[in-house]
Amino acid sequence: MDANLKAKLQKSLDALGAWVENHQYQAYDPGDGQLSPLRQLAFGKFFPKRLLTAAVLRVPFNIRPWIGIRPHTSTKGMGYLAWGYTKRFAQSGDRRYAERARYCLDWLIKHRTSKSSHYCWGNHFDFSTRGGTIPAQEPTIVWSSLIGQAFLEAHQVLGEARYLEVAASVADWILTLPREQTPTGACLSYVAFKQSSIHNSNLLGGALLAKVGGLTGRAEAIEVARSAMNYSCSRLNADGSWFYGDAPMYHWIDNFHTGYNLDSVKRYSEATGDRSFEAPMRRAFDYFKRTFFETSGRPIYYHDRPYPIDIQCAAQAIDTLSFFSEDDPQSLELALQVAAWTLDHMQAPDGHFYYRDLGWIVIKTPMFHWGQGTMFKALANLLGKIERPARSAAPVPPAGAVR
């Protein structure tokens, strides 16, 4: 590859890391509208709460300082940063990355939700969408599974058994969730308080169960993981696409949720050695590559329209393409194209990444997990694929009696 591009990627990652640390791991979140004191005017009613969430998310400039929303720290953002720092330590051997990874992981251990005896995480604000309201501190399988994967990688690289114990506790929580039982597999619920069947959350949960099950010898975790894979892979559309969910109100197809799905099926396969879902995964990956990218490398959000250009789509695309690159060399080239476009068009001079380009205006608001955390992990992953690691990952210690 072009040495200049490699240097550019490293410079970008360094600038982003410096921005995050200089801002004390705080920024905003697209869905943080209900952190505003204006939430009191909703009187607990769903529609005004949803209106406030949507208004703050969709207004094409940052109104948060005007309505009392201060920068804050996101659990998912800390999870992605921990994941990225861990990868950079494994690649470079620079112990500063290990120290920062441990800082983020310790923060996550301290800031687990109080709503479960198991390790799991959610938002620290109410989040209201067409699917209803997820209350503050209510854990979700998406956040908990992704953070759990960061703990698993830290266990593998840093060699600390306590990180596996945290991930195993997340798996225990996932096993308590409701499941939609069908003849073609069971769907893990997005949340614990009702059944909510969404493909990316189901697959993310299944991937974590598979990895933890393999490391701890828990047959139940692997069995539930396989059922989750069967549910979502059997519902892949004929063209290789996934709807967000099967319910008609969830019939959209987008970039980054497809990336979540692909990563999860691949992680399941690698953790278990089960290749049963290889064919649908390949069909979905082919669809992903041919649908969500322009020739310039610009990532597309939805399958049928170019805007908005969203930083989460860019980050997840770079991450997924990098993850698949060992089996598909074309993926690495595409990941580099997406990264080059994103650095040129979506990174501010101070190092942070912009939120969205709507075509007529760029929303430059710094989001914490949605942009900073996800891009840090994605760029770390990409750099690891183009560098020869300076340090091998530490061997995984025996799982012992972890349950």
Side-chain angles (χ1 to χ4, degrees):
M1 65 166 293
D2 186 345
N4 290 332
L5 178 54
K6 178 180 173 181
K8 187 176 181 178
L9 290 169
Q10 184 63 66
K11 182 178 179 182
S12 169
L13 186 66
D14 291 343
L16 173 57
W19 188 93
V20 168
E21 291 155 23
N22 289 339
H23 285 77
Q24 301 177 321
Y25 298 87
Q26 294 183 335
Y28 299 106
D29 187 279
D32 62 10
Q34 292 184 63
L35 285 177
S36 168
L38 292 177
R39 68 184 180 278
Q40 298 172 19
L41 300 179
F43 299 105
K45 302 296 184 181
F46 171 69
F47 180 75
K49 288 170 69 175
R50 183 183 173 189
L51 186 64
L52 177 58
T53 298
V56 174
L57 191 153
R58 300 194 181 280
V59 168
F61 50 89
N62 187 20
I63 65 170
R64 291 169 179 82
W66 302 350
I67 60 173
I69 300 175
R70 298 172 61 85
H72 48 92
T73 305
S74 140
T75 52
K76 195 172 178 183
M78 293 298 271
Y80 270 104
L81 286 168
W83 209 343
Y85 285 136
T86 300
K87 284 185 175 295
R88 287 309 289 153
F89 172 60
Q91 295 154 8
S92 70
D94 186 337
R95 299 201 66 82
R96 290 175 298 177
Y97 289 124
E99 291 167 3
R100 290 165 185 159
R102 288 190 176 96
Y103 170 80
C104 294
L105 295 166
D106 287 345
W107 187 96
L108 286 162
I109 288 171
K110 182 178 179 181
H111 290 86
R112 60 189 275 189
T113 181
S114 61
K115 292 193 173 184
S116 173
S117 60
H118 299 297
Y119 279 98
C120 46
W121 297 268
N123 288 312
H124 53 286
F125 47 83
D126 286 2
F127 183 57
S128 301
T129 67
R130 73 184 78 181
T133 294
I134 300 177
Q137 296 298 322
E138 186 67 38
T140 74
I141 193 172
V142 172
W143 289 52
S144 301
S145 298
L146 286 165
I147 293 169
Q149 290 286 355
F151 274 96
L152 286 174
E153 185 138 349
H155 163 66
Q156 186 171 7
V157 172
L158 302 177
E160 296 191 25
R162 65 188 180 119
Y163 296 147
L164 177 56
E165 292 169 2
V166 171
S169 179
V170 177
D172 287 339
W173 175 74
I174 291 173
L175 290 171
T176 70
L177 292 174
R179 298 174 214 162
E180 178 192 356
Q181 301 289 343
T182 78
T184 50
C187 186
L188 295 158
S189 181
Y190 196 108
V191 289
F193 61 88
K194 65 176 182 178
Q195 176 61 44
S196 178
S197 297
I198 304 296
H199 288 304
N200 80 92
S201 58
N202 175 55
L203 291 170
L204 286 165
L208 186 81
L209 288 176
K211 182 73 170 180
V212 170
L215 290 172
T216 63
R218 295 197 64 183
E220 179 192 7
I222 295 175
E223 179 183 349
V224 173
R226 191 180 195 287
S227 184
M229 297 295 137
N230 191 24
Y231 176 92
S232 289
C233 288
S234 67
R235 287 161 176 77
L236 192 69
N237 296 323
D239 62 359
S241 66
W242 265 294
F243 288 130
Y244 177 73
D246 270 9
M249 68 175 175
Y250 296 136
H251 278 195
W252 73 80
I253 302 164
D254 71 69
N255 181 322
F256 74 92
H257 287 114
T258 302
Y260 282 164
N261 295 348
L262 288 164
D263 288 358
S264 298
V265 178
K266 190 172 190 296
R267 287 195 175 103
Y268 166 85
S269 180
E270 291 179 350
T272 64
D274 179 1
R275 307 298 177 189
S276 303
F277 307 105
E278 189 91 9
M281 181 183 74
R282 288 295 163 191
R283 285 172 48 219
F285 188 55
D286 288 344
Y287 177 89
F288 180 72
K289 288 189 296 181
R290 71 174 182 264
T291 303
F292 293 113
F293 309 99
E294 297 182 346
T295 56
S296 64
R298 187 172 80 167
I300 294 171
Y301 194 116
Y302 295 105
H303 75 294
D304 56 355
R305 55 190 185 274
Y307 288 99
I309 305 301
D310 188 281
I311 195 60
Q312 182 79 350
C313 292
Q316 189 57 49
I318 294 166
D319 208 19
T320 296
L321 292 165
S322 298
F323 187 35
F324 276 75
S325 64
E326 291 181 8
D327 301 321
D328 182 355
Q330 181 190 34
S331 298
L332 185 58
E333 180 181 347
L334 184 52
L336 290 166
Q337 289 178 327
V338 176
W341 186 92
T342 305
L343 269 54
D344 286 343
H345 295 86
M346 299 291 281
Q347 189 168 26
D350 66 2
H352 89 273
F353 281 88
Y354 303 143
Y355 169 45
R356 276 185 173 175
D357 180 350
L358 300 180
W360 58 277
I361 189 173
V362 176
I363 304 175
K364 299 182 178 182
T365 308
M367 305 297 179
F368 184 52
H369 103 259
W370 196 288
Q372 315 323 314
T374 50
M375 279 300 299
F376 190 88
K377 190 255 181 171
L379 291 176
N381 194 14
L382 178 58
L383 278 167
K385 299 302 181 182
I386 61 178
E387 292 177 342
R388 183 172 181 174
R391 176 187 184 276
S392 297
V396 180
V402 176
R403 290 288 183 268

